[in-house]
Amino acid sequence: MTEKNVLILAHQTAQSEELAEAVHARAAAGPVRFTLVVPSIAPGLHKVVDPTEHGDRAAHAAMEAALPVLEEAAGAPVEGQIGDSNPLDAAQDAVNLGDFDEIIVSTLPHRVSAWLRLDLPHKLEGLGLPVTAVTAESADREYPSVEV
């Protein structure tokens, strides 16, 4: 069986239990290598003032917190990358530069998820790969904070 390459697109839910469960289930289904892409999304007013500096900080914090969780779920190392601030562009860049076979996108619950309001999982299907959408049950988890 050939090893598959799976792109994981996540930010605030990158260390969620639901995403870890999806990664574990996918790893159990056959040989797989995972790459986590975290969009460089700046918090609050930093989106306007200095999005690159603070977006990268937030993305690195999310990635550093998530990689050990995802690696434990995968039972293998997970590569991490910081992507464009637009999650669709971040995924498209990764797909164009990499050799991915499928995408797992992890979002906040519908009531608070900008990604779901933008219909991101459906738009990702336009990249020509199977997409699995994972929704965290709660936005009340502790997410990596960014000192500004």
Side-chain angles (χ1 to χ4, degrees):
M1 190 180 246
T2 309
E3 182 178 65
K4 299 291 185 176
N5 292 316
V6 176
L7 169 67
I8 302 169
L9 182 66
H11 194 282
Q12 289 182 311
T13 60
Q15 62 178 339
S16 71
E17 183 178 314
E18 294 83 2
L19 180 56
E21 289 172 3
V23 166
H24 180 74
R26 179 57 191 88
V32 64
R33 187 170 37 151
F34 294 100
T35 300
L36 170 65
V37 174
V38 180
S40 178
I41 302 171
L45 289 175
H46 294 290
K47 291 177 186 172
V48 177
V49 180
D50 49 5
T52 303
E53 179 180 340
H54 291 288
D56 283 353
R57 254 193 242 167
H60 280 288
M63 186 172 49
E64 287 177 19
L67 284 176
V69 173
L70 297 177
E71 288 175 344
E72 182 177 338
V78 174
E79 183 182 335
Q81 299 176 3
I82 304 301
D84 189 90
S85 62
N86 178 315
L88 182 58
D89 290 345
Q92 187 166 8
D93 290 346
V95 168
N96 288 341
L97 295 173
D99 184 26
F100 292 100
D101 300 296
E102 54 192 276
I103 299 171
I104 297 174
V105 59
S106 179
T107 70
L108 292 167
H110 196 272
R111 68 184 181 282
V112 294
S113 174
W115 289 10
L116 289 178
R117 282 192 302 275
L118 294 171
D119 198 20
L120 181 62
H122 183 258
K123 289 178 180 175
L124 289 170
E125 290 174 354
L127 298 176
L129 300 174
V131 175
T132 301
V134 175
T135 303
E137 290 204 16
S138 170
D140 299 328
R141 300 191 195 303
E142 289 185 32
Y143 300 112
S145 61
V146 179
E147 293 185 23
V148 290

